[in-house]
Amino acid sequence: MGSVRTKVAAMREKDRRAAAQRRARLVSVGVVGLFVVVIAGFLVFDRAQTASADGSYVREDSHVLSKAADGKVTLVEFLDFECEACRAYFPVVEELRKKYEGRVTFVARYFPIPSHFNAERAARAVEAAAQQGRFEDMYKRMFETQQQWGEKRVPADPLFRTFAEELKLDLAAWDKAYADPATLARIRKDQSDGEALGVSGTPTFFLNEQKIQPESAEAFEAALDAALAG
């Protein structure tokens, strides 16, 4: 797990370069565009001030991977199934779930990045499985297979349907949920909460409503231990 820092640093550097290229293109839009960005930034900041009051870190329908009986410590991850950094963190989070079972609540929330071609499709596939009580199974399948479908400009819908078939889901019900606008609305509700909290990239973690950026498994464990001891 020590290699996570190196992997994630490289992935984040790749994202930063891509973001810099996008910003350079946006300069040509002109001064008016800049004012829009500034105003939007203030709106996001303002929304973030009230986010904790309306329960947007964890909602009643949020997907809980593991639950602590005392509810003292909760770790929330806003994630994108096509994000390479999220995939790098996936085994770390799985190990933490085992180590802190019964002591820490782990919550996964959707935050598909628009520039990731299949990210929203993947989230719809997972949410459609969740409607049959199989969120975690499809959640894991997405990260385990990301290299098959990620970073491609080809719709992965048929592949995601094979995942549903392999999980022995009711395919008619899964197909209906996958195409249902309500499923996409559920995903976008998570996105809206994330934006209100200042999430701009993935993975973004909140530990007891405080944003953390652990760069190693050790740093993650230290943060959880401190929260449990607090």
Side-chain angles (χ1 to χ4, degrees), residues 95-159:
E95 286 300 315
L96 292 173
R97 286 179 58 198
K98 292 177 185 177
K99 181 170 183 177
Y100 293 90
E101 184 177 3
R103 294 187 292 157
V104 175
T105 296
F106 290 81
V107 180
R109 303 199 65 180
Y110 304 114
F111 201 86
I113 304 298
S115 62
H116 290 163
F117 188 79
N118 280 303
E120 192 172 86
R121 288 179 172 86
R124 285 195 287 126
V126 174
E127 183 58 24
Q131 293 180 29
Q132 297 187 44
R134 304 293 295 277
F135 171 84
E136 186 173 347
D137 292 324
M138 190 67 88
Y139 155 92
K140 290 181 177 179
R141 185 66 60 91
M142 287 299 171
F143 285 126
E144 291 166 353
T145 63
Q146 188 196 90
Q147 291 179 307
Q148 294 179 34
W149 55 268
E151 297 292 318
K152 294 178 174 61
R153 308 298 295 180
V154 178
D157 311 72
L159 178 62

Side-chain angles (χ1 to χ4, degrees), residues 19-157:
Q21 291 173 349
R22 289 194 296 272
R23 286 195 296 271
R25 289 194 295 270
L26 286 172
V27 170
S28 63
V29 173
V31 175
V32 174
L34 292 176
F35 277 121
V36 172
V37 171
V38 171
I39 291 169
F42 278 118
L43 289 174
V44 169
F45 178 81
D46 183 63
R47 291 170 68 194
Q49 302 309 301
T50 60
S52 60
D54 68 11
S56 59
Y57 289 94
V58 181
R59 294 190 181 274
E60 288 185 4
D61 61 353
S62 293
H63 295 298
V64 178
L65 293 168
S66 305
K67 189 170 185 178
D70 60 12
K72 180 180 178 180
V73 178
T74 298
L75 180 74
V76 178
E77 178 184 4
F78 284 86
L79 57 84
D80 174 334
F81 293 109
E82 194 170 352
C83 167
E84 292 179 318
C86 291
R87 178 168 58 85
Y89 267 104
F90 168 67
V92 176
V93 172
E94 288 298 290
E95 286 300 315
L96 292 173
R97 286 179 58 198
K98 292 177 185 177
K99 181 170 183 177
Y100 293 90
E101 184 177 3
R103 294 187 292 157
V104 175
T105 296
F106 290 81
V107 180
R109 303 199 65 180
Y110 304 114
F111 201 86
I113 304 298
S115 62
H116 290 163
F117 188 79
N118 280 303
E120 192 172 86
R121 288 179 172 86
R124 285 195 287 126
V126 174
E127 183 58 24
Q131 293 180 29
Q132 297 187 44
R134 304 293 295 277
F135 171 84
E136 186 173 347
D137 292 324
M138 190 67 88
Y139 155 92
K140 290 181 177 179
R141 185 66 60 91
M142 287 299 171
F143 285 126
E144 291 166 353
T145 63
Q146 188 196 90
Q147 291 179 307
Q148 294 179 34
W149 55 268
E151 297 292 318
K152 294 178 174 61
R153 308 298 295 180
V154 178
D157 311 72

Side-chain angles (χ1 to χ4, degrees), residues 128 132 134 161 164-165 167-177:
Q132 297 187 44
R134 304 293 295 277
R161 193 175 192 274
E165 188 173 12
L167 291 174
K168 302 187 185 305
L169 300 181
D170 179 331
L171 287 182
W174 185 90
D175 287 339
K176 182 178 179 180

